[in-house]
Amino acid sequence: MTDTLQAGPRPRLNRARVLEAAVALADEIGIESLSMRRLAQELRVVPMALYKHVANKEELLDGMVDVIVGEIDPPAADADWKSGVRSRILSARHTLQRHPWARRAIETRTAMTPRVLDYMDSFIGVFLAGGLSLDLTHHAMHALGGRMWGFTQELFEDPAAPAPAVTDAERGEMLRQAAQRYPNVVAIATSVTHDEGSVVGHGCDDQFEFEFALDLLLDGFERLHVRDWTSRGAKAAR
Amino acid sequence: MTDTLQAGPRPRLNRARVLEAAVALADEIGIESLSMRRLAQELRVVPMALYKHVANKEELLDGMVDVIVGEIDPPAADADWKSGVRSRILSARHTLQRHPWARRAIETRTAMTPRVLDYMDSFIGVFLAGGLSLDLTHHAMHALGGRMWGFTQELFEDPAAPAPAVTDAERGEMLRQAAQRYPNVVAIATSVTHDEGSVVGHGCDDQFEFEFALDLLLDGFERLHVRDWTSRGAKAAR
DNA sequence: TCGATAGGAGTACAGTGTACGCCTCGTGGT
DNA sequence: ACCACGAGGCGTACACTGTACTCCTATCGA
């Protein structure tokens, strides 16, 4: 009876409620004003209560991007890979634009949460289903970089492998599980490492990937340029 | 004589020295550990002394990116625009890689410092000197986005014009001065706004620019894909 | 020689993330 | 029906952040 006197019975906290409230609050007051204290106040709870559901603020932010990545529409069953990729990216962009802070948050976060891996896996799947080679798909993912997210960033870029001390057996088990959930991601990763060394995570030349995307764009500019130039010339000639 | 007992006479502070020290310190301990107090300690000075040369931490960070942008090599007098742009971008990337924190710092900063404008202006100049139209150059700048900086970001994206209260006369004067220092930037900006509305800063469709760059990449993938496919077919046929 | 002044020193305050200990319920085993 | 237990919320405390405000002092032009 006592708590009915309050503005509401305040249902018990849980991780999902914390994360959703954080997302909503960030939408409202901006990510830079989002503090643990402010969030706690919003949930009508003492600040330290949050730490029962979130290890620290870093993990809170990780969880927040996880939530919004989960909001991205699943890939529509498009006719060809190109329009499939295109519509997915634009859908991601649309989702991200609803949360202005999300772009910056994703950039600073490097955690590979399950939903992020899901997203990437289905993304890669569209390419592979379209018949593109593992290699080309790999480069394409790099070139798209953050455009996958509806904006731009350099993905995979920090090879500071989290690699938390695990035995080889555990590592093998994790890999098998990952291969089940994220078959495409694993396919790309392993195909890359086969070429070069044996260390997972390396064997992917950052500089090459950068120049690959750069030259794709430059070639595109050039094509548009000469087309423009010739059409102008044709117009002048007739 | 008293100060000769110290590790050094400690030359007087000035803005440049503060900025340089900040850059060096960020290189050493990381941007997230760089605090005003830590920086002051490094300069053997009381924290508040810094505020005589920098309005606040925000401005300190602005100054830091200004410093590193200034480190980028000037554009080499290349034969064609394409290799000119290419080498400039790779040079920028090289510079940025020497300061791991710079990438993230530039992303969060939106201030258009003189050196940034200088950089962009000379960049645009390479395109225009190569004969590209104002329009294509404009789109190209967008498409390259942060790749101009040796990484990736969405530039121009926040049209929240700083527009600090100025009279029309002042505004006109500023524009004339800007046109002298940054002729190419102004050329692009004005050519865009001519098309659509009269408000400076708008008239540049974000969505269009995004899809422009996206389609450039997708077309590139497709070309590589069919080339791969046909060569594979040819090999199988012979 | 003198006084204006730029620049450094000192103190103080609000706000941040979070470590640690306590207390209070709802719940499951006996 | 009891009771212990543990999840989850509370309170306090600490180190650290940016920076506002006041005072002091060394420097330099007249």
Side-chain angles (χ1 to χ4, degrees):
Chain A
M1 187 193 277
T2 60
D3 46 29
T4 58
L5 293 177
Q6 310 290 355
R10 195 189 61 181
R12 224 105 179 282
L13 240 48
N14 57 43
R15 194 161 207 277
R17 251 170 54 75
V18 169
L19 260 36
E20 279 173 39
V23 167
L25 190 55
D27 285 347
E28 192 177 343
I29 67 175
I31 192 75
E32 71 286 343
S33 303
L34 178 77
S35 72
M36 298 301 270
R37 288 174 154 86
R38 185 80 175 72
L39 175 58
Q41 165 186 335
E42 202 73 11
L43 288 163
R44 309 220 313 283
V45 137
V46 92
M48 287 313 291
L50 300 177
Y51 287 85
K52 285 280 154 66
H53 304 97
V54 164
N56 46 41
K57 191 173 186 182
E58 205 75 347
E59 198 189 287
L60 176 77
L61 294 175
D62 285 345
M64 289 170 67
V65 328
D66 210 46
V67 167
I68 63 110
V69 169
E71 286 180 8
I72 300 177
D73 297 331
D78 262 285
D80 56 324
W81 63 268
K82 208 171 155 189
S83 60
V85 167
R86 196 175 195 279
S87 65
R88 187 97 203 267
I89 290 187
L90 292 179
S91 151
R93 174 174 162 87
H94 191 246
T95 297
L96 270 283
Q97 279 181 331
R98 288 207 308 269
H99 308 284
W101 49 269
R103 207 177 67 84
R104 187 156 304 161
I106 290 185
E107 280 167 6
T108 60
R109 232 104 299 283
T110 62
M112 281 287 167
T113 72
R115 266 158 159 151
V116 169
L117 285 170
D118 276 338
Y119 179 70
M120 286 180 48
D121 196 72
S122 70
F123 215 119
I124 296 174
V126 177
F127 278 116
L128 296 182
L132 273 73
S133 73
L134 277 177
D135 219 47
L136 182 51
T137 300
H138 175 223
H139 298 323
M141 293 288 289
H142 271 279
L144 286 175
R147 277 197 170 78
M148 274 197 312
W149 303 112
F151 58 92
T152 335
Q153 78 166 354
E154 206 69 9
L155 208 53
F156 296 116
E157 118 186 74
D158 193 358
V166 288
T167 73
D168 280 356
E170 285 174 337
R171 185 175 196 79
E173 178 57 25
M174 282 172 51
L175 259 184
R176 281 201 315 120
Q177 287 195 358
Q180 290 219 336
R181 277 201 59 151
Y182 318 111
N184 298 324
V185 171
V186 170
I188 294 278
T190 54
S191 91
V192 160
T193 54
H194 278 169
D195 302 351
E196 249 281 327
S198 55
V199 187
V200 179
H202 280 289
C204 161
D205 185 349
D206 222 37
Q207 184 74 20
F208 175 83
E209 302 297 346
F210 185 84
E211 297 190 17
F212 176 82
L214 176 57
D215 288 334
L216 236 48
L217 288 173
L218 290 179
D219 288 347
F221 301 155
E222 186 171 45
R223 238 185 310 272
L224 290 175
H225 179 214
V226 306
R227 180 184 311 169
D228 185 36
W229 196 77
T230 54
S231 83
R232 201 184 296 266
K235 197 189 294 179
R238 84 174 116 95
Chain B
M1 186 194 276
T2 60
D3 45 27
T4 57
L5 294 177
Q6 309 291 353
R10 194 190 63 182
R12 225 103 181 281
L13 238 49
N14 57 45
R15 195 162 206 276
R17 252 171 53 77
V18 169
L19 260 35
E20 277 173 40
V23 167
L25 190 55
D27 285 347
E28 191 176 344
I29 68 176
I31 191 76
E32 70 286 343
S33 302
L34 177 78
S35 71
M36 298 301 271
R37 287 174 153 88
R38 185 80 175 72
L39 175 58
Q41 165 186 335
E42 202 72 13
L43 288 162
R44 308 221 312 285
V45 135
V46 91
M48 287 311 292
L50 301 176
Y51 287 86
K52 285 279 155 66
H53 305 96
V54 164
N56 46 41
K57 193 175 186 181
E58 206 73 348
E59 197 189 288
L60 176 77
L61 294 175
D62 285 345
M64 289 169 69
V65 328
D66 210 46
V67 167
I68 63 112
V69 169
E71 284 180 8
I72 301 176
D73 297 332
D78 260 286
D80 56 323
W81 63 268
K82 209 171 152 186
S83 61
V85 167
R86 194 173 196 283
S87 64
R88 187 93 201 271
I89 289 186
L90 292 179
S91 152
R93 174 175 163 86
H94 190 248
T95 297
L96 271 282
Q97 279 180 331
R98 288 205 310 269
H99 309 284
W101 49 270
R103 210 179 66 85
R104 187 156 303 160
I106 290 185
E107 279 166 6
T108 61
R109 237 103 293 286
T110 62
M112 281 287 167
T113 71
R115 264 158 158 150
V116 169
L117 285 170
D118 276 338
Y119 178 70
M120 288 181 47
D121 197 72
S122 71
F123 215 120
I124 296 174
V126 178
F127 277 116
L128 295 183
L132 272 74
S133 73
L134 276 177
D135 220 45
L136 181 52
T137 300
H138 174 224
H139 298 323
M141 292 289 287
H142 267 98
L144 287 175
R147 277 198 170 77
M148 273 198 313
W149 302 112
F151 60 91
T152 336
Q153 78 167 351
E154 206 68 8
L155 208 54
F156 295 116
E157 114 187 79
D158 193 358
V166 288
T167 71
D168 280 357
E170 283 173 340
R171 185 175 195 79
E173 179 55 23
M174 281 172 52
L175 260 183
R176 280 202 317 122
Q177 287 195 0
Q180 289 219 336
R181 279 204 56 154
Y182 317 112
N184 298 323
V185 171
V186 170
I188 293 278
T190 54
S191 92
V192 160
T193 54
H194 279 169
D195 302 350
E196 249 282 328
S198 56
V199 187
V200 179
H202 280 286
C204 160
D205 185 349
D206 223 37
Q207 183 74 20
F208 174 83
E209 301 299 345
F210 185 83
E211 297 191 18
F212 175 82
L214 175 57
D215 288 333
L216 234 48
L217 289 174
L218 290 178
D219 288 347
F221 301 156
E222 187 171 44
R223 237 184 312 271
L224 290 175
H225 179 215
V226 306
R227 179 184 311 168
D228 184 35
W229 196 78
T230 53
S231 83
R232 197 183 299 266
K235 197 188 295 179
R238 84 174 115 98

